[in-house]
Amino acid sequence: VDDLIKSIANGDRRRLGSISGVGKKATERMILELKDKVALLSAGVGPSTPETGPGLMDVSVDDVISALNNLGYRPAVSEEAARKALNSLEGEPVFEELFKEALKALSRR
């Protein structure tokens, strides 16, 4: 997960393109759509203590689903993995925690 985040943050097209099933277009799309989000994570500047508000948890889950879709997972699979990740974590996890847990859930499939 850390390598994936660093590769996206650094725009490492060659490394991302070496992932099975990820072609040039998917690599470009991941970098374009996720670079800003993962750059904050790799710099350690994530919303570690987000202010709670209505729908905040859904935004994190939606972001994880979108990130997984951008990696090439089908929407239904992405949503299932994100929901499993949310259920396995305590409290109000932030994007990075949910994303890592969702990737773990997908790797166990």
Side-chain angles (χ1 to χ4, degrees):
V1 174
D2 291 333
D3 288 340
L4 176 63
I5 290 172
K6 287 177 187 174
S7 295
I8 293 171
N10 295 329
D12 189 348
R13 288 165 178 78
R14 194 168 78 193
R15 173 107 184 198
L16 292 170
S18 70
I19 299 170
S20 178
V22 177
K24 185 176 179 179
K25 285 184 181 181
T27 298
E28 293 296 328
R29 187 171 178 194
M30 279 191 293
I31 291 171
L32 178 67
E33 293 185 15
L34 299 176
K35 189 171 187 170
D36 294 337
K37 290 180 183 182
V38 298
L40 292 174
L41 296 175
S42 66
V45 184
S48 57
T49 56
E51 295 180 16
T52 57
L56 184 61
M57 183 65 69
D58 291 336
V59 171
S60 294
V61 172
D62 289 343
D63 289 343
V64 170
I65 293 169
S66 175
L68 293 173
N69 289 342
N70 289 334
L71 289 174
Y73 292 100
R74 292 177 312 196
V77 173
S78 298
E79 185 171 343
E80 179 184 346
R83 298 293 173 194
K84 283 182 182 178
L86 182 61
N87 291 334
S88 70
L89 296 171
E90 295 180 15
E92 294 186 28
V94 293
F95 173 82
E96 181 179 25
E97 294 170 328
L98 281 172
F99 187 62
K100 285 181 179 181
E101 212 44 50
L103 287 174
K104 286 178 188 176
L106 288 167
S107 70
R108 291 184 210 126
R109 290 184 59 187

